[in-house]
Amino acid sequence: MFVDEARIFVKAGAGGKGCDSFYRDKHMRHARPDGGDGGNGGEIVIIADGRIKTLLDFRYKQHYKAANGGHGSSKGKTGRTGKDSVLRVPRGTIVRDYETKLLIKDLTDDQQSIIVAEGGRGGWGNAHKQGSKPPRPGEERTIGLELKLIADVGIIGFPNAGKSTLISQISKVKSKIAQYHFTTKQPVLGFVPDEENSFIIADLPGIIEGAHKGKGLGDRFLKHAERTKILVHMVDIAGSEGRDPLQDYQKINHEINEYGDILNAKHKLVVANKVDLPEAKEHIQRFHAKYKQDIIEISAKDKIGLDELVEKLRAILCQESSRDQ
Ligand SMILES: Nc1nc2c(ncn2[C@@H]2O[C@H](COP(=O)(O)OP(=O)(O)O)[C@@H](O)[C@H]2O)c(=O)[nH]1
Ligand SMILES: [Mg+2]
């Protein structure tokens, strides 16, 4: 599981000041106190939003403030309430107090929310029988956000098939991705942004290594693969490592079948990479002669066929999510 983390500083709004004022008309011997109360400060609210996929935005903006309450005024007028500051985070975000590490809330459901910093109460104006009272400041604290990222799309394939290249080419926010714990040269996780249908794509470690090195790696592979909706099976169709692409395809298929129902039930796309190399042509013909399987031809390096691939992935994910709802 990949973990996304962020630390943010939040400050709720301060309460507005109460007003000290007196009302008097020509018939009154004593002036009457009529100062209104200050408004309450705005709260800092964190809400889960199913449309948001990562915590990336919180690495760029780390400070959040809610508006202060307005001051009270004469004729008993209360100050306006400060506007809340609402932070939208992905579903499944765990909210903690950063200093103590104590859990504040696990936002598991869409639209679930929590106030993490309370606005200060407004001060009392002198119209109160007990007299005026000063306003209170807004709460201020450091919050830790933590999200287990679930890849929507997992890529499997032999080493050097071009998995990392594909991920970095279709993840448009490269500079942001670089801030994950992974190196830029070998990205294992990419965020493919879109107004409505962003998704996360990941290089799933271990299907081939798992087959050779035993159970531990295989389990690790499964843990990652289990929750992805689509498996992209990537073949180096040019055989640029000296292996036969058709044999690579068969070996990976064999591994997928070994894992049984969990993987068999998933959408699978076979992607033939490196079609920019001249050797690709012959292998593609051989492939079609031997298998009924459709393949999507791409060059991750030269950006051939990548838009079509991304569109296809989006379409499948869209179908899946409308089925979930
Ligand atoms: N000619 C060609 N080379 C590619 C293509 N995609 C990746 N490569 C090269 O293949 C090598 C392995 O790529 P990489 O993305 O690291 O593979 P991974 O091990 O599956 O992550 C690198 O030298 C890439 O530059 C492609 O579409 N065409
Ligand atoms: Mg790689």
Side-chain angles (χ1 to χ4, degrees):
M1 203 69 70
F2 308 104
V3 181
D4 197 4
E5 285 171 320
R7 179 183 58 162
I8 55 173
F9 305 93
V10 299
K11 187 171 188 213
K17 282 187 203 143
C19 173
D20 273 322
S21 78
F22 293 89
Y23 176 78
R24 179 203 297 271
D25 69 19
K26 58 185 173 188
H27 310 295
M28 288 167 80
R29 293 180 57 199
H30 299 290
R32 175 167 59 80
D34 74 343
D37 298 344
N40 295 333
E43 337 257 27
I44 304 277
V45 182
I46 298 186
I47 184 167
D49 184 332
R51 289 168 305 181
I52 294 171
K53 296 284 186 160
T54 74
L55 295 172
L56 279 171
D57 290 346
F58 297 99
R59 295 170 181 231
Y60 291 87
K61 183 170 177 340
Q62 295 178 330
H63 292 264
Y64 295 88
K65 255 181 94 172
N68 294 337
H71 301 317
S73 49
S74 55
K75 296 184 190 159
K77 258 172 73 184
T78 305
R80 66 182 151 61
T81 304
K83 198 164 182 290
D84 295 343
S85 172
V86 179
L87 282 55
R88 298 188 169 272
V89 299
R91 234 177 74 184
T93 299
I94 296 168
V95 182
R96 290 182 195 279
D97 183 287
Y98 188 81
E99 309 298 337
T100 62
K101 303 285 174 246
L102 285 178
L103 178 72
I104 299 172
K105 187 95 181 172
D106 188 352
L107 296 171
T108 49
D109 301 325
D110 197 26
Q111 303 304 316
Q112 199 176 6
S113 68
I114 179 83
I115 294 172
V116 291
E118 284 193 36
R121 312 248 87 200
W124 283 0
N126 64 347
H128 271 268
K129 277 199 194 78
Q130 300 93 324
S132 53
K133 209 163 98 173
R136 302 195 57 89
E139 226 181 319
E140 199 173 344
R141 71 201 291 202
T142 309
I143 300 287
L145 301 172
E146 210 176 286
L147 174 71
K148 291 193 179 72
L149 286 181
I150 296 164
D152 305 290
V153 180
I155 315 183
I156 52 182
F158 274 84
N160 295 323
K163 302 182 291 296
S164 300
T165 308
L166 176 68
I167 290 172
S168 60
Q169 295 279 31
I170 64 177
S171 312
K172 290 179 189 138
V173 279
K174 273 184 214 155
S175 56
K176 292 187 180 182
I177 287 296
Q179 297 214 4
Y180 280 113
H181 313 288
F182 317 108
T183 63
T184 39
K185 264 196 201 143
Q186 282 289 326
V188 295
L189 187 75
F191 176 61
V192 187
D194 183 63
E195 301 251 308
E196 305 207 338
N197 300 302
S198 305
F199 65 86
I200 293 170
I201 183 164
D203 180 352
L204 298 182
I207 191 166
I208 283 296
E209 295 89 335
H212 300 306
K213 291 182 191 159
K215 202 165 172 302
L217 269 170
D219 286 349
R220 197 172 131 221
F221 167 74
L222 255 194
K223 225 174 92 191
H224 279 99
E226 239 171 350
R227 299 176 79 171
T228 62
K229 299 192 178 102
I230 308 177
L231 282 183
V232 167
H233 172 171
M234 183 183 269
V235 183
D236 169 359
I237 203 71
S240 60
E241 299 271 298
R243 290 186 313 268
D244 176 17
L246 273 63
Q247 266 178 22
D248 280 6
Y249 168 75
Q250 250 173 347
K251 272 189 197 151
I252 299 261
N253 256 354
H254 175 76
E255 290 305 320
I256 293 175
N257 289 328
E258 288 288 289
Y259 282 103
D261 295 342
I262 300 172
L263 298 192
N264 276 324
K266 289 185 194 299
H267 286 273
K268 289 180 212 75
L269 293 181
V270 177
V271 167
N273 190 31
K274 309 198 184 182
V275 298
D276 58 291
L277 295 176
E279 295 82 1
K281 210 167 180 182
E282 179 205 334
H283 292 306
I284 290 171
Q285 280 170 0
R286 286 177 57 223
F287 190 97
H288 287 310
K290 190 160 177 189
Y291 305 110
K292 273 208 200 103
Q293 174 70 47
D294 285 334
I295 51 178
I296 300 172
E297 299 175 21
I298 68 164
S299 165
K301 190 173 123 255
D302 291 352
K303 297 192 181 177
I304 301 170
L306 300 191
D307 290 346
E308 291 85 342
L309 175 61
V310 167
E311 275 319 304
K312 188 137 202 168
L313 293 171
R314 279 216 177 96
I316 299 172
L317 291 170
C318 245
Q319 258 175 27
E320 283 281 323
S321 65
S322 59
R323 240 195 7 205
D324 289 350
Q325 277 156 17

